[in-house]
Amino acid sequence: MNNKKFHEYVYSVENWLDELVIAFLSFGVIIVLVDLLMFQSQSYSFITLGDAIFPWITMVALMIIGRELWLLNRNVREHLERTGE
């Protein structure tokens, strides 16, 4: 029983950290985009703008994919534990 409680606590912390990192990366994309469009003196085309924000978009996408796979794994594991397999 105590092990299950600790497992739920660790799950809560991991879930909270994932959400925090995804929010941080999302705000990072917005800040970089606003900085490039409003405060940089040179003009950007779509290609150079895409090159500037590509690393941020990639990090956000990988974090979201990783989080969704993690949640799917947890749901499948809980389902298998409930059914006794």
Side-chain angles (χ1 to χ4, degrees):
M1 182 66 142
N2 198 11
N3 190 21
K4 182 109 174 146
K5 194 173 194 179
F6 178 73
H7 180 70
E8 289 298 320
Y9 173 74
V10 170
Y11 168 74
S12 303
V13 170
E14 286 177 339
N15 193 24
W16 184 79
L17 284 174
D18 282 344
E19 291 291 330
L20 187 66
V21 168
I22 290 171
F24 172 75
L25 291 173
S26 299
F27 286 129
V29 171
I30 293 168
I31 290 170
V32 167
L33 189 60
V34 167
D35 180 56
L36 288 175
L37 293 176
M38 301 292 181
F39 301 114
Q40 297 295 325
S41 60
Q42 64 192 102
S43 62
Y44 281 96
S45 67
F46 279 113
I47 293 176
T48 56
L49 186 63
D51 289 340
I53 63 171
F54 175 75
W56 287 92
I57 301 279
T58 303
M59 287 187 287
V60 171
L62 290 175
M63 278 299 298
I64 291 172
I65 290 169
R67 184 179 189 296
E68 293 301 320
L69 289 173
W70 176 68
L71 289 173
L72 181 64
N73 182 29
R74 178 173 160 73
N75 290 339
V76 168
R77 183 180 298 147
E78 284 181 355
H79 176 71
L80 291 175
E81 287 175 358
R82 264 187 277 124
T83 59
E85 294 181 15

